[in-house]
């Protein structure tokens, strides 16, 4: 179920599925995502979620940063059916109604992934700008699915940050949607 990487067991896969503006930002400086388009409906009446449901079917747990967790809490209804681990060094308040499915952890990304793997979580969805950047720097991401929105917001929180070295990607597919969203999938080489 697990494979060894540098002498440690880790989850089989860590995937990223995220939206960004055309100029590379995942949120405004204040964390706002009001620039994201409103959900659309397919011809069959179901919501268009651009492959999100398929990704969620294949993951065991979401791993997100505290900022992303707090943003999701502000939506009102909790959208996740899978367990969630919130990464934070400052602590986080988890509402009572989520205490059975949400936990918090702190530490090095490799240690976190190893702990989760030992608990049986093999396929992780990594979310949140800083969290994604840390997991990329640690060499823990295998797949990136990036949906680029047809909007320029000028400034904000970038998807990518400094890296110790280049990360080579293999392009898997790109899909262009009628509303102008372009989604590209890459595997880390």
């Amino acid at each position: 179920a697990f494979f060894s990487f540098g002498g440690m067991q880790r989850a089989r896969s860590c995937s990223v599925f995220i939206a960004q503006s055309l100029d590379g930002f995942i949120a405004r400086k204040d964390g706002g995502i009001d620039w994201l388009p409103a959900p659309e409906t397919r011809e069959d009446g179901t919501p268009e979620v651009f492959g999100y449901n398929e990704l969620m079917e294949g993951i065991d747990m979401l791993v997100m940063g505290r900022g992303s967790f707090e943003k999701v809490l502000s939506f009102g209804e909790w959208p996740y059916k899978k367990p969630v681990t919130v990464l934070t060094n400052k602590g986080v308040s988890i509402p009572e109604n989520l205490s059975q499915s949400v936990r918090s952890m702190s530490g090095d990304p490799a240690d976190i992934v190893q702990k989760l793997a030992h608990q049986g979580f093999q396929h992780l969805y990594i979310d949140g700008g800083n969290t994604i950047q840390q997991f990329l720097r640690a060499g823990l991401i295998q797949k990136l699915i990036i949906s680029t929105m047809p909007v320029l917001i000028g400034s904000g929180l970038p998807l990518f940050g400094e890296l110790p070295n280049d990360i080579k990607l293999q392009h898997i597919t790109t899909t262009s949607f009628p509303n102008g969203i372009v989604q590209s999938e890459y595997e880390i080489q």
Side-chain angles (χ1 to χ4, degrees):
F2 304 106
F3 65 92
S4 178
F5 180 76
M8 72 169 185
Q9 272 192 329
R10 72 172 186 174
R12 261 201 255 166
S13 68
C14 292
S15 300
V16 170
F17 186 99
I18 196 159
Q20 70 172 2
S21 62
L22 185 60
D23 46 357
F25 300 108
I26 59 170
R28 296 191 188 282
K29 288 182 181 179
D30 66 359
I33 55 172
D34 58 303
W35 51 272
L36 286 171
E40 297 182 9
T41 304
R42 297 178 183 172
E43 289 180 14
D44 65 2
T46 61
E48 175 59 74
V49 290
F50 308 103
Y52 177 80
N53 290 338
E54 291 82 358
L55 173 83
M56 292 302 286
E57 288 173 9
I59 64 120
D60 301 319
M61 174 175 279
L62 286 86
V63 177
M64 66 175 59
R66 183 184 47 81
S68 295
F69 175 68
E70 290 172 351
K71 175 54 78 177
V72 173
L73 284 178
S74 75
F75 298 160
E77 186 177 329
W78 185 247
Y80 305 118
K81 293 180 174 70
K82 304 280 179 144
V84 174
T85 294
V86 180
L87 303 184
T88 180
N89 292 321
K90 298 179 181 180
V92 64
S93 177
I94 298 172
E96 180 63 32
N97 65 318
L98 299 178
S99 64
Q100 296 299 309
S101 62
V102 178
R103 66 171 119 182
S104 67
M105 293 179 80
S106 62
D108 175 86
D111 293 338
I112 289 166
V113 169
Q114 183 178 17
K115 287 175 187 173
L116 294 174
H118 283 296
Q119 294 170 22
F121 298 105
Q122 299 176 32
H123 303 285
L124 307 177
Y125 166 17
I126 310 303
D127 195 23
N130 190 38
T131 302
I132 292 168
Q133 291 175 23
Q134 288 180 37
F135 276 63
L136 274 171
R137 280 193 293 272
L140 298 169
I141 303 290
Q142 286 81 41
K143 183 192 304 187
L144 294 167
I145 301 171
I146 302 169
S147 298
T148 303
M149 304 296 123
V151 62
L152 300 170
I153 63 173
S155 65
L157 304 175
L159 174 54
F160 300 111
E162 290 186 29
L163 296 168
N165 49 24
D166 295 347
I167 296 176
K168 302 281 187 195
L169 306 175
Q170 179 178 345
H171 177 254
I172 303 302
T173 186
T174 294
T175 305
S176 177
F177 295 92
N179 62 359
I181 293 174
V182 176
Q183 184 179 80
S184 295
E185 180 177 340
Y186 301 93
E187 288 183 357
I188 307 292
Q189 292 186 333

